[in-house]
Amino acid sequence: MAPMKVVVAVPARLESSRLPRKVLANIAGKPMLQHVLERCQKASTPDAVVLCTDSIELQELALEWGCSVVMTSADCASGSERIASVVDHLIALVDGVSSDTLVINVQGDQPFIDPCAVDSMTMEFCSRQPTPDVLTPVYRMAAERIHDPDVVKTLVSANGNAIYFSRAAIPHVRGVPPSEWHAHASYWGHVGIYGYRADVLQRWLDLPYSPLEKVEMLEQLRLLEAGIQIGTFPVESESLSVDTSEHLAIARRKAIHYRPGQEI
């Protein structure tokens, strides 16, 4: 079998609902999106790093930064849908075929994404037989984060597949005060990176409507409701995603002392 082609696709839009124009927020002298793209380009396994956006402004900036761009519709409901809408273009960019192309979705609001996390995704994906449909990293959560609705939790089965994703703490520990749940169950957080076999993304727009995706506002639930398995693999820690002004303030403080290779 030919080696798997690897594309890192970074979906980004300017007018995010919670923090408009956040991908251009200044962090340590650079727009957040530039940090994301440059760090992805430092990974050793991708054949291409591509910005997927509907914004001409972001397109022009990314080209100045030396990054490839694929333009999308403005009507995409999620980052994965944005990538799925142009997946054939992404496959063509690396001269791949759908079943042997890995598309790694790295959100445009992760300014400290570790290039090693991208390479780990590739190695994990390529080492599994049969080739997974979807993979995503998870990490053991600290007790104080379990009940934070901004942190996505993952319920993981014995074989490592994701059972469910939620903003609520899962599992619920019956008869125990929530402050003590961490002593009775393992809690896994979700790192917002996905590895897709490209042919799975080609089916995205044909997947049935997902009520769970709508109520939780978590795009991966569309896959689970459609019966598509999402495998997981453990990593040491999370990668900061900037969703609010508070997160942005944290990122700016962290950037003062941050060194490449560190987790925050």
Side-chain angles (χ1 to χ4, degrees):
M1 185 177 72
M4 182 165 273
K5 298 288 188 177
V6 181
V7 182
V8 173
V10 180
R13 60 192 179 107
L14 270 180
E15 300 308 323
S16 56
S17 57
R18 301 182 70 184
L19 190 60
R21 297 181 66 85
K22 69 177 180 180
V23 295
L24 292 183
N26 187 301
I27 298 176
K30 292 182 182 180
M32 178 161 56
L33 181 60
Q34 185 176 3
H35 285 286
V36 176
L37 294 171
E38 288 180 349
R39 295 190 63 73
C40 288
Q41 288 171 328
K42 290 179 181 178
S44 62
T45 54
D47 296 287
V49 175
V50 185
L51 175 67
C52 301
T53 185
D54 60 280
S55 166
I56 296 297
E57 183 177 353
L58 294 183
Q59 177 195 39
E60 292 175 348
L61 286 170
L63 292 174
E64 288 179 10
W65 301 331
C67 184
S68 300
V69 183
V70 173
M71 298 300 291
T72 73
S73 165
D75 298 328
C76 299
S78 68
S80 292
E81 183 173 312
R82 189 175 301 279
I83 293 171
S85 71
V86 293
V87 65
D88 290 340
H89 295 279
L90 300 177
I91 295 169
L93 275 176
V94 295
D95 195 26
V97 295
S98 60
S99 60
D100 292 327
T101 301
L102 166 61
V103 180
I104 301 177
N105 175 349
V106 176
Q107 302 294 332
D109 59 5
Q110 295 182 290
F112 299 95
I113 183 69
D114 188 347
C116 293
V118 174
D119 291 334
S120 294
M121 173 70 81
T122 302
M123 290 183 285
E124 191 73 28
F125 211 95
C126 294
S127 68
R128 298 196 181 194
Q129 293 296 327
T131 305
D133 290 333
V134 188
L135 274 182
T136 195
V138 295
Y139 64 96
R140 288 289 186 121
M141 293 187 66
E144 64 271 14
R145 302 280 275 165
I146 291 171
H147 298 284
D148 183 348
D150 287 331
V151 180
V152 178
K153 295 86 179 174
T154 313
L155 197 59
V156 180
S157 68
N159 68 0
N161 286 337
I163 299 173
Y164 191 64
F165 297 86
S166 182
R167 298 186 184 279
I170 48 175
H172 177 96
V173 183
R174 183 178 178 182
V176 175
S179 60
E180 299 177 13
W181 286 6
H182 66 280
H184 297 267
S186 296
Y187 288 86
W188 292 93
H190 176 232
V191 181
I193 311 171
Y194 306 95
Y196 292 104
R197 206 175 61 232
D199 60 314
V200 175
L201 282 174
Q202 287 176 322
R203 296 159 49 197
W204 183 277
L205 299 179
D206 295 324
L207 296 178
Y209 169 78
S210 168
L212 292 175
E213 177 189 18
K214 183 176 181 181
V215 297
E216 292 258 23
M217 296 300 291
L218 296 174
E219 62 203 77
Q220 62 270 45
L221 292 177
R222 182 181 300 199
L223 297 167
L224 291 185
E225 280 207 88
I228 296 173
Q229 291 187 341
I230 301 177
T232 70
F233 63 96
V235 294
E236 290 300 315
S237 61
E238 63 181 308
S239 178
L240 177 67
S241 294
V242 178
D243 294 314
T244 66
S245 56
E246 291 78 13
H247 294 161
L248 180 57
I250 292 170
R252 286 169 169 165
R253 289 196 299 270
K254 294 285 188 180
I256 296 172
H257 305 291
Y258 179 76
R259 295 293 181 273
Q262 292 178 335
E263 291 289 346
I264 64 170

